[in-house]
Amino acid sequence: MLSIMGLTAKYGKYTSIKEVNIEVIKGEIVVLLGANGAGKSTTFKTISGLLKPAAGEIIFNDEQIGGKQPDKIVELGIVQCAEDRKLFPQMSVQQNLMMGAYVHRRNKGQIKQSLKEVNELFPILYDKREDAAGSLSGGQQQMLAIGRALMAKPKLMLLDEPSIGLAPLIVEQMFKSIEHINREGTTILLAEQNANAALSIADKGYVYENGKIVVHGSSAELFSNEEVRKAYIGA
Ligand code: ATP
């Protein structure tokens, strides 16, 4: 579904990621691991069109998408859920969800169906549909950010650190929801610091260090890799 080959991206003269290769097969959950600043978010920004690649290719369903405009990439079926959630805090929960459906604005039936699915997945969003997004708890805001991304009916969802700042119990629920979304047919590329939780739901993973991928393999392989355990899992 997604093939990233030799991807290099820069901020001005600073090379943030270098010759990154990633392969995501339809139906998978793939996790990007690595410390703060290792290059995971830059990879996402380059896929979603917010940053132009300096070199390399990004092929999505046989189409070269590297450097395309973000709205075109959403239309092709890739939606990013950013680390800082980027909600509209003054707007209601429901209005935030509707913003995510912009790409399907001419298909009212599709929007209604997506809204139903999101409300079933996260019933609290239905209960709080009239409340301002900014009044929600951290976990609820993360649900809203994911719900809004789902409203676009993505084929591939880019999830940047969905567990950041959440209490352990909420993190557990969040990962269950991500598994559910995947089972319902959305392929997922996930960046996470919480390697343990992420690898337990992922098919495979890539480990970043200083802008480069240093190890990759199936979740089982990464779990049993001594260096990965030491650096990212503990024990
Ligand atoms: P985090 O979890 O902190 O977002 P990350 O693995 O996603 O970490 P990136 O945000 O991709 O890492 O950052 C990779 C490198 O690029 C870091 O050295 C960072 O300082 C740098 N960087 C990120 N955004 C910018 C920017 N807008 N301008 C300049 N440098 C940046």
Side-chain angles (χ1 to χ4, degrees), residues 66-113:
K68 278 197 195 299
Q69 291 298 318
D71 56 328
K72 287 280 167 287
I73 290 175
V74 172
E75 275 172 26
L76 288 172
I78 301 180
V79 174
Q80 174 165 3
C81 208
E83 185 176 344
D84 57 6
R85 296 167 193 151
K86 295 212 163 47
L87 297 173
F88 301 99
Q90 320 286 348
M91 286 166 61
S92 73
V93 166
Q94 177 125 348
Q95 285 168 333
N96 269 274
L97 288 176
M98 294 312 282
M99 299 295 278
Y102 180 76
V103 67
H104 298 296
R105 60 197 174 280
R106 287 186 202 90
N107 189 344
K108 295 264 173 343
Q110 169 73 68
I111 295 177
K112 218 171 144 194
Q113 178 61 27

Side-chain angles (χ1 to χ4, degrees), residues 11 14 16 35-42 45 83 161 193:
Y11 296 103
Y14 176 75
S16 174
N36 275 332
K40 308 177 299 295
S41 300
T42 302
K45 279 184 205 157
E83 185 176 344
E161 308 237 10
Q193 302 265 342

Side-chain angles (χ1 to χ4, degrees), residues 53-70:
E57 294 197 332
I58 309 173
I59 313 284
F60 180 64
N61 288 335
D62 299 326
E63 191 168 338
Q64 161 69 29
I65 61 162
K68 278 197 195 299
Q69 291 298 318

